[in-house]
Structures are given as structure tokens and as C-alpha cells.
Amino acid sequence: MQLNNIKPAEGAKHAKRRVGRGIGSGLGKTAGRGHKGQKSRAGGYHKVGFEGGQMPLQRRLPKRGFKSQTAKFNGEISLAALERLGAAEVDLLTLKQAGLVGELIKNVKVIKSGELKKAVKLTGIAATAGAKAAIEAAGGSLN
């Protein structure tokens, strides 16, 4: 193989479509734009969703719902999961290493789901009122 006989792959290159170059090309006269109308003119186009002045679909439908952008940074962990973890001291890093919360999580809250029998010291982790009572009843603490 030499540099002078390298060719592009079969079908990789194709001739550019030359419109408006006579009837014989098959793309003469209207040059593939059809007859009249805004889309046939140079520079004539409209916004995405424009329906010719009719109220567009996205404005006819009611507004509904909301998705918080901060929700992806918040995580929760149950008392049952804390029990299974079996660590005496728990912080955000411990939970990430155990795979109980995702890597993006910045704030974690303990929820009262399941039971906790071991004493667990939580650092930098919030808890619901019920979960806090259950943790302190087991001899644990929250910082």
C-alpha cells in the first residue's frame, strides 16, 4: 500500500446534490422545494412548533408537574439498611463505599423503615423524627 493508491471506503463519498441546474437533472425549476408557500422562499421558515398562527399544541395543553433539579443530590436510607451495614460510625463516605447511596448524593436522610437494634453514630446525616427516636432508643446518636 502506497499513499498514492489509498481510496475512501466504498460508499463513503457521494456527489453533492446540485439543485436548480436544469430539467435534465431532475432537480430543476422548483429545485425540490415544491410550489409556492413560505418553505419555497429563500430565508422563509418558521419556528419549531409553529402552526401557521393556530394556537400551537404545546400551548393548548395544560401545564403540569415539576421536576426538581436538586432531587438528584438527595438520598435516603432506611433503618433496616443501617442494621445490615453493621458499622458503628456512619457518614456519607461510608454509605457511598457500601453502595447504599449513589455517587452524586450530597445529602442523606434516614427514614423509619425497618428496625435498628445496634447502636449507630451518624455524622453529617439527617433523620426523620421517627428514625431519630429509633436510633436513640437503640443507643445511637446523630451529629
Side-chain angles (χ1 to χ4, degrees), residues 38-56:
Q38 189 176 17
K39 285 164 76 173
S40 73
R41 320 265 184 223
Y45 218 72
H46 52 76
K47 289 184 211 159
V48 172
F50 183 70
E51 296 182 19
Q54 172 177 295
M55 188 61 68

Side-chain angles (χ1 to χ4, degrees), residues 81-131:
L82 273 180
E83 179 76 25
R84 268 180 278 144
L85 185 61
E89 291 192 20
V90 177
D91 61 353
L92 185 57
L93 191 64
T94 321
L95 295 174
K96 282 184 180 180
Q97 286 169 344
L100 292 171
V101 294
E103 286 299 313
L104 283 176
I105 303 297
K106 291 179 183 169
N107 308 312
V108 177
K109 194 173 220 179
V110 181
I111 56 168
K112 190 184 176 214
S113 175
E115 288 183 31
L116 185 67
K117 293 181 177 72
K118 300 184 184 101
V120 179
K121 184 184 178 195
L122 299 175
T123 313
I125 294 173
T128 62

Side-chain angles (χ1 to χ4, degrees), residues 12-31:
K13 296 283 198 173
H14 52 86
K16 194 170 186 296
R17 179 180 291 174
R18 298 187 69 222
V19 298
R21 290 291 177 273
I23 197 168
S25 69
L27 287 165
K29 194 183 171 234
T30 54

Side-chain angles (χ1 to χ4, degrees), residues 54-89:
Q54 172 177 295
M55 188 61 68
L57 182 67
Q58 74 271 19
R59 289 192 57 200
R60 287 197 302 259
L61 299 174
K63 292 194 281 185
R64 185 169 183 270
F66 166 77
K67 187 169 182 177
S68 172
Q69 290 301 302
T70 57
K72 61 185 167 203
F73 300 116
N74 300 330
E76 58 182 39
I77 183 168
S78 65
L79 290 174
L82 273 180
E83 179 76 25
R84 268 180 278 144
L85 185 61
E89 291 192 20

